[in-house]
Amino acid sequence: MKSTYLELLFSLLCLVARCQCQNINGHLRVASCHIQNSSVHLSSPSANKLSLIEAKLIGMLAVYLNFTYEIHTPTDVLQLGSPLKINDEGSWTGVLGQIVRHEVDLTTSFGPQLYSRSRNVDITVPVIVDNIVIMVPYPQQHSDILDMFDMFSPLFWTSFIAVNFIVGYAIYCVAFLKRAEDKHVLAYQNVLMKGVGITLGQGGDFRHHSLPCRMIVGSWLFAILVFNNAFTGSLISMITNQKFQYVIQSIEDVATDEDVQPLIINESSTHSEFKESTEPIFRKILKRLEANPDKLLVSSSSNLVELLLSDPRQVLILSDLLADSEIEKDFRKTGKCRVTVLPNKIKSRKNSIFLQKNSPFTKTINKQLLLLTQNGFPGRSHSIGHTFASRCYIDERKMKNDKRNRRVSPLTVYDLRGFSVNVGMLMISFVILLSEILFAKYQHRHRITGLTL
């Protein structure tokens, strides 16, 4: 009989635990640094992408776990926040500060799992993955006809031109020494002109067919053939492939180039990553941030794009989700891409939401987050509020209002702007020719007048 009562009691406890694990059935205080209220609409074009993801996440949790909620935003910094000292367990800022002080029950703002956070709050299972990226000014396509002179080094061009003059002089000397008494020898300038004609594929004949001359011309023409093929291949590559010049290429450039100014949002998760990371590159950049915090640590309320563009040597290190939102907002405002992110990601990280330490809701929310992960929420979250940001990424740029993206042929008038130099030289040559003709006519008329007198 006693064992029967124990079995019934155990079954009742299991049933209660099961109900508590499945539903919360209450009202929760939720902290967020992106949602200002609980009425964020997913179709709103002005909504931040992070706020859309957070609103979607907390909405799904509220429906599945049967609870209501109210949004609380931090009053100090609109970021997840960090401890005032790395080993301080009491003084925190931002959303995490609200959790530590028990002002809220959980956060809908997500962030990476860091050791300092695990000591002070409960961390759920990963709910979404993002990347730390570098936002830079949008690079300009570098394509100019004058770039053909950059295909080879100045030393090569100098040597090539000098060798052509030497070959021409050698041909002239051989022709002069092997000349016959009844044959005319080409002048040196004529030899050069015929050599230029052969080089440019216009044909030509040196009128001398001795064996030494043929050996010189044969070796010279072989070198010309190699040069023409190399030059043609490089030219085709230049005019068909888009070349973009970034301020930097990787995080290593930020760490080593003292002229580059790395900007990071103050008290953001990226800032916390740099403060707690042991990687040498992160530590080196952190030292620069701490040496000049007023300039390099920016507020989350700033216009990040305008701030980035205020100095061409500045770069902004942040989450790719936030970068999407800023690029989207600026594209809607200006109608063009003014910033982009480097193709190389700095670091991928798994993000969780946070609850009070030893919270009774942690197990329940973890279970529901695992179910959402199993149903593909992390992957779908990146497509929430699909934006124009991808148009400003170099790898998949599809902006229709950019003429250089609607090319029928590889070249446009913009790419051939270097020919203006050639046009100017032709005009100068025409003026000189016209002056010579007028001067010759003047001399001829003056001579006739002198003879008449």
Side-chain angles (χ1 to χ4, degrees):
M1 188 73 176
K2 185 176 181 181
S3 61
T4 305
Y5 285 126
L6 290 176
E7 289 179 359
L8 290 174
L9 180 61
F10 179 74
S11 301
L12 181 61
L13 291 175
C14 289
L15 181 61
V16 172
R18 183 170 179 268
C19 293
Q20 288 181 349
C21 185
Q22 284 186 342
N23 296 297
I24 293 178
N25 300 323
H27 184 79
L28 299 182
R29 300 163 299 170
V30 179
S32 173
C33 54
H34 296 105
I35 304 176
Q36 303 300 323
N37 52 64
S38 58
S39 60
V40 176
H41 298 286
L42 299 181
S43 60
S44 175
S46 60
N48 184 289
K49 185 172 184 178
L50 289 174
S51 66
L52 296 179
I53 297 176
E54 291 181 8
K56 183 69 173 179
L57 177 61
I58 192 62
M60 294 173 67
L61 291 176
V63 170
Y64 294 143
L65 300 179
N66 191 29
F67 66 86
T68 58
Y69 63 92
E70 58 186 68
I71 298 296
H72 294 260
T73 55
T75 57
D76 46 6
V77 290
L78 290 176
Q79 292 293 326
L80 271 178
S82 62
L84 298 181
K85 296 181 180 179
I86 294 299
N87 296 321
D88 190 352
E89 298 186 4
S91 302
W92 283 67
T93 60
V95 168
L96 292 177
Q98 293 178 291
I99 289 287
V100 172
R101 295 188 297 269
H102 292 186
E103 297 174 2
V104 294
D105 300 301
L106 78 156
T107 74
T108 186
S109 297
F110 46 83
Q113 302 174 352
L114 301 177
Y115 175 70
S116 62
R117 295 174 177 176
S118 66
R119 296 175 56 188
N120 294 272
V121 297
D122 279 356
I123 302 177
T124 66
V125 296
V127 63
I128 195 170
V129 177
D130 74 336
N131 304 284
I132 300 178
V133 296
I134 304 178
M135 182 187 291
V136 296
Y138 194 84
Q140 299 299 320
Q141 182 184 357
H142 185 66
S143 179
D144 193 343
I145 197 65
L146 292 180
D147 289 345
M148 64 182 180
F149 296 110
D150 295 332
M151 295 178 187
F152 303 106
S153 65
L155 179 61
F156 176 85
W157 283 111
T158 304
S159 302
F160 179 76
I161 295 172
V163 167
N164 277 277
F165 278 99
I166 294 172
V167 168
Y169 187 73
I171 294 173
Y172 171 76
C173 291
V174 170
F176 181 80
L177 295 175
K178 294 288 186 177
R179 73 187 186 283
E181 296 182 356
D182 57 342
K183 288 188 177 181
H184 177 68
V185 179
L186 287 175
Y188 176 60
Q189 58 268 26
N190 293 333
V191 173
L192 290 180
M193 289 298 298
K194 290 183 178 293
V196 172
I198 294 174
T199 303
L200 299 178
Q202 303 301 313
D205 186 8
F206 291 111
R207 299 182 185 177
H208 196 77
H209 306 289
S210 64
L211 180 60
C213 183
R214 288 173 176 172
M215 293 178 63
I216 295 173
V217 172
S219 59
W220 174 65
L221 289 178
F222 180 77
I224 291 296
L225 177 64
V226 174
F227 170 79
N228 282 344
N229 287 335
F231 183 82
T232 303
S234 300
L235 183 63
I236 292 174
S237 176
M238 182 197 74
I239 64 180
T240 55
N241 293 333
Q242 294 180 343
K243 296 187 296 183
F244 297 94
Q245 295 181 338
Y246 293 99
V247 176
I248 57 170
Q249 299 296 328
S250 63
I251 187 64
E252 287 79 9
D253 295 339
V254 180
T256 57
D257 192 345
E258 294 294 334
D259 293 333
V260 176
Q261 302 295 322
L263 305 179
I264 291 182
I265 299 175
N266 190 29
E267 300 293 340
S268 63
S269 293
T270 303
H271 189 199
S272 299
E273 288 264 5
F274 276 79
K275 287 194 292 186
E276 300 192 28
S277 175
T278 58
E279 295 184 20
I281 293 179
F282 282 30
R283 301 302 301 175
K284 190 172 183 179
I285 295 177
L286 180 63
K287 289 182 179 179
R288 296 179 59 184
L289 296 174
E290 293 175 344
N292 193 6
D294 294 336
K295 183 177 181 181
L296 301 183
L297 292 178
V298 300
S299 171
S300 59
S301 59
S302 305
N303 188 326
L304 298 180
V305 174
E306 295 294 344
L307 184 62
L308 176 63
L309 297 176
S310 63
D311 189 338
R313 299 298 296 173
Q314 291 183 158
V315 298
L316 181 60
I317 304 175
L318 72 171
S319 166
D320 60 347
L321 297 176
L322 181 57
D324 279 353
S325 297
E326 294 299 320
I327 294 174
E328 155 81 0
K329 183 168 59 176
D330 186 68
F331 183 86
R332 288 183 179 274
K333 179 180 178 181
T334 63
K336 60 182 180 180
C337 295
R338 299 199 299 166
V339 293
T340 187
V341 297
L342 292 183
N344 298 326
K345 309 292 190 299
I346 298 177
K347 181 181 180 180
S348 294
R349 55 189 185 178
K350 297 179 180 179
N351 296 273
S352 305
I353 60 177
F354 307 94
L355 299 92
Q356 294 179 12
K357 192 66 176 177
N358 301 321
S359 171
F361 309 124
T362 302
K363 186 177 180 180
T364 304
I365 291 180
N366 271 334
K367 179 182 178 181
Q368 189 59 50
L369 290 178
L370 286 174
L371 292 174
L372 292 177
T373 301
Q374 180 179 330
N375 293 331
F377 175 78
R380 294 197 308 270
S381 62
H382 286 271
S383 62
I384 293 177
H386 185 67
T387 67
F388 296 102
S390 61
R391 298 189 178 192
C392 296
Y393 294 156
I394 300 300
D395 291 342
E396 51 184 8
R397 190 172 62 124
K398 300 176 182 179
M399 290 181 62
K400 296 182 179 181
N401 63 339
D402 194 335
K403 294 181 179 179
R404 284 172 287 176
N405 279 322
R406 294 186 278 109
R407 296 182 174 181
V408 179
S409 62
L411 287 177
T412 64
V413 176
Y414 179 80
D415 297 320
L416 298 177
R417 61 192 183 278
F419 273 127
S420 59
V421 178
N422 294 340
V423 174
M425 295 177 64
L426 288 175
M427 294 180 63
I428 294 174
S429 301
F430 177 75
V431 172
I432 294 174
L433 176 63
L434 183 62
S435 301
E436 289 180 350
I437 293 174
L438 294 177
F439 183 71
K441 287 187 175 182
Y442 171 76
Q443 284 186 327
H444 179 69
R445 185 175 301 175
H446 183 70
R447 190 181 299 112
I448 293 176
T449 303
L451 291 174
T452 303
L453 293 176

